[in-house]
Amino acid sequence: MIKIICVGKIKEDYFRDAIDEYKKRLSKYTDLEIIEVPDEGLTDIKTSLKKESEKILKYLNTKDYIITMEIEGKQLSSTEFAEKLNQIQIENSNIVFIIGGSYGLSDEIKQMSRLHLSFSKMTFPHQLFRVLLLEQIYRSFKIMN
């Protein structure tokens, strides 16, 4: 089971269509759940991160292998990512990816992470990044199989 917890909602139809396409493709390989929590969008970063963190925590349990998406995280090639996902799946039935909001993720959430992952040193719009993550997860399953 793969769960993706995202801060913020998808607004554009073309992103929703792309996400639906990858959900359909991934259904051949794994169960997938996407959970959206509201972006607090407050001007106070600390308060915003705390409120978003509280909402994310509601969807986590101790059996989850948590992967946080962070600019400072480790960068892997698609093949390395596939190998890592395969290895994680052998030992863990639940893999949870967490995509933060405008201010990123709280230290509390980052400390729970077992893999801090980055796709680039660049910042991407959160809606686009969700599509990129789904594409790379799908690509990983194609590589594995």
Side-chain angles (χ1 to χ4, degrees):
M1 161 68 130
I2 292 182
K3 189 171 12 176
I4 301 174
I5 302 174
C6 318
V7 175
K9 301 244 183 249
I10 296 293
K11 297 176 180 99
E12 287 84 3
D13 287 339
Y14 53 89
F15 284 131
R16 231 178 270 121
D17 291 343
I19 289 166
D20 289 342
E21 177 63 26
Y22 282 110
K23 284 167 71 173
K24 184 175 82 178
R25 292 181 185 188
L26 279 164
S27 68
K28 299 172 189 169
Y29 303 107
T30 187
D31 291 328
L32 175 70
E33 181 180 8
I34 298 177
I35 298 165
E36 295 178 331
V37 299
D39 185 344
E40 289 301 316
L42 302 172
T43 53
D44 179 46
I45 295 171
K46 191 174 182 179
T47 303
S48 185
L49 287 173
K50 184 178 182 340
K51 288 186 175 198
E52 290 169 359
S53 177
E54 289 168 357
K55 291 174 184 166
I56 290 168
L57 287 170
K58 291 178 186 177
Y59 296 100
L60 300 176
N61 72 55
T62 55
K63 295 179 182 176
D64 293 336
Y65 187 100
I66 297 170
I67 300 172
T68 48
M69 306 309 300
E70 306 175 34
I71 289 176
E72 316 82 30
K74 184 176 185 174
Q75 293 184 17
L76 302 172
S77 69
S78 293
T79 305
E80 291 168 332
F81 183 57
E83 290 168 359
K84 186 69 175 171
L85 264 186
N86 191 37
Q87 176 188 21
I88 294 168
Q89 277 193 307
I90 291 168
E91 300 170 7
N92 301 274
S93 57
N94 296 329
I95 302 172
V96 179
F97 291 89
I98 303 175
I99 304 171
S102 303
Y103 301 126
L105 294 167
S106 70
D107 288 339
E108 180 182 14
I109 297 294
K110 288 180 181 181
Q111 288 169 4
M112 296 174 75
S113 179
R114 294 177 65 187
L115 175 61
H116 306 267
L117 188 61
S118 174
F119 281 5
S120 172
K121 291 182 181 184
M122 295 179 183
T123 301
F124 296 104
H126 295 286
Q127 296 180 338
L128 175 60
F129 187 78
R130 196 178 313 181
V131 175
L132 291 172
L133 176 59
L134 285 166
E135 194 283 331
Q136 285 301 304
I137 294 169
Y138 173 69
R139 183 178 300 272
S140 292
F141 278 102
K142 291 294 282 183
I143 291 168
M144 285 186 261
N145 291 291

